[in-house]
Amino acid sequence: MIDFRYHLVSLIAVFLALALGILLGAGPLNAPLGDQLTGQVEELREDRDRLRTELEVSEVERENRDEFLAEVAPATLGSRLEGRAVAVVVLPGANEDDVADVRLRLEQAGATVTGQVQVTEAWTDPDTATFRSSFAGQILGYLDPAPEESADTGVILGNALGQALTRGEVDGSLTTDAETLLELLVSAEDPLVELTEEPGQAANATVVVAPRSEANGAGDGGESVDVETREERLTEEVALARGITATGEGSVVVGSAATELDLVSAVRTGDAAEVVTTVDSVAELTGRLSVPMALAVAISGEVGHYGVGAEATAAVPPTVYLPPPAAPEPETEQPEGAGDAETEDAA
């Protein structure tokens, strides 16, 4: 009985308060409330206009900054990679403009871009893991040096791709085994790479271009993705980076480091950080300009992580000028027919 009376009194009090508010709002408080709301709307409108102006100013300043950096890039990059041949490896989802600008900066640093390959979705697709494991075992005979016996499938395949792009004859052309490896990767049952630009010669080093954060389902404008699947793919991408790094004179991975789903972030927070050099902010001109400088560092034998993203060791790579590349040593030819059976098995 007490509970019922309590609830009844509470309801009456609520209705009385509402009625009183309506009466006061329509009467003596009408004008003050209206003036207050009007003032708040005006303040919000002024804040919106101010923020819009600040955004426009920031965009103009950014455009002017990028224009300035683009103008001084040739002089800044100088001859960092003079005489070097570089192959570009593009991961699924990478921005075409980022790839084109990375190539431009490599050339401004004196490098020759020998070719460009596109990694397919099959390389990281969990559904093709069994095929990749079998395929990795079949191509081991063409790898020189071969990865450790305990190496993961992804590391073996990454090493195969790296060797396919960097193993060269004395005259600079690709070795027979390198050409075979590239052909196998391209023509496998589930092709692991596609040739965007066929290599014209053996590369000294490689650059791996990864996607921006939004392509991985993170960042502004990013589409939602299956996080578990993305993490599985990310593991294969890290293994690919490790495998490629072990080939040629050096390698650099450039991408985003805004979230844990980004390749650069995954490299920096794992064991790969000790061997793989990275550059973040691939969407920014500053990041892409750092690629040739970071590659020079990697070729010199050092490992670094450059940019403004998480776990970066420095904002800008240090100045490194390299000696001319050493000529490839002639490879020992296999006995006639030695690789025929393996070629048939891999095919």
Side-chain angles (χ1 to χ4, degrees):
M1 189 66 178
I2 295 176
D3 290 341
F4 175 74
R5 288 178 179 175
Y6 172 78
H7 289 303
L8 181 61
V9 171
S10 298
L11 287 173
I12 293 173
V14 170
F15 284 117
L16 286 175
L18 288 173
L20 181 60
I22 293 172
L23 291 174
L24 291 174
L29 295 181
N30 184 27
L33 286 174
D35 293 341
Q36 184 177 4
L37 290 174
T38 301
Q40 291 177 350
V41 170
E42 289 295 332
E43 289 179 3
L44 291 173
R45 184 178 292 113
E46 291 174 359
D47 288 343
R48 179 203 62 188
D49 293 340
R50 177 178 55 79
L51 291 173
R52 179 181 296 169
T53 300
E54 291 178 355
L55 178 60
E56 292 174 351
V57 171
S58 297
E59 290 177 347
V60 171
E61 291 177 345
R62 177 182 174 182
E63 291 174 359
N64 291 337
R65 180 205 64 187
D66 287 352
E67 184 178 353
F68 172 80
L69 290 174
E71 290 292 332
V72 302
T76 302
L77 298 176
S79 56
R80 304 290 181 100
L81 299 175
E82 190 68 36
R84 254 71 186 184
V86 181
V88 177
V89 177
V90 182
L91 297 186
N95 185 283
E96 293 181 359
D97 292 337
D98 294 344
V99 176
D101 200 55
V102 165
R103 292 183 54 137
L104 173 62
R105 306 311 165 190
L106 290 170
E107 292 170 351
Q108 288 179 335
T112 299
V113 177
T114 63
Q116 178 178 318
V117 298
Q118 174 70 54
V119 175
T120 68
E121 295 284 350
W123 192 296
T124 59
D125 189 350
D127 293 336
T128 60
T130 301
F131 159 73
R132 294 197 302 273
S133 178
S134 174
F135 183 74
Q138 293 170 356
I139 64 176
L140 273 174
Y142 294 97
L143 302 183
D144 184 20
E148 298 178 358
E149 294 182 1
S150 59
D152 295 336
T153 295
V155 174
I156 295 173
L157 293 177
N159 194 273
L161 178 56
Q163 292 195 26
L165 297 172
T166 61
R167 283 172 61 183
E169 303 285 8
V170 176
D171 62 359
S173 62
L174 289 169
T175 65
T176 301
D177 279 354
E179 291 177 341
T180 301
L181 284 169
L182 191 57
E183 177 63 24
L184 291 174
L185 289 167
V186 170
S187 60
E189 179 182 344
D190 288 308
L192 299 180
V193 299
E194 296 175 352
L195 292 179
T196 305
E197 180 183 338
E198 188 170 355
Q201 66 182 92
N204 301 109
T206 51
V207 170
V208 179
V209 184
R212 301 180 180 185
S213 293
E214 53 264 30
N216 297 324
D220 295 337
E223 297 180 1
S224 59
V225 296
D226 183 342
V227 175
E228 183 177 353
T229 300
R230 173 55 195 156
E231 289 176 344
E232 292 179 3
R233 289 183 177 272
L234 192 56
T235 299
E236 298 303 323
E237 291 177 1
V238 172
L240 183 156
R242 291 185 68 113
I244 286 184
T245 296
T247 64
E249 292 184 319
S251 180
V252 166
V253 174
V254 56
S256 294
T259 75
E260 61 184 10
L261 297 179
D262 294 321
L263 175 57
V264 172
S265 297
V267 169
R268 292 177 176 179
T269 56
D271 295 339
E274 300 178 2
V275 293
V276 180
T277 294
T278 62
V279 175
D280 63 52
S281 304
V282 67
E284 301 293 334
L285 178 56
T286 51
R288 300 190 293 270
L289 282 173
S290 294
V291 173
M293 296 185 285
L295 186 57
V297 173
I299 293 174
S300 73
E302 300 295 327
V303 177
H305 304 286
Y306 306 107
V308 295
E311 306 299 329
T313 56
V316 181
T319 300
V320 174
Y321 290 99
L322 303 168
E329 296 182 1
E331 294 192 359
T332 303
E333 294 185 1
Q334 293 183 356
E336 186 175 350
D340 292 346
E342 293 175 346
T343 303
E344 293 175 1
D345 291 341

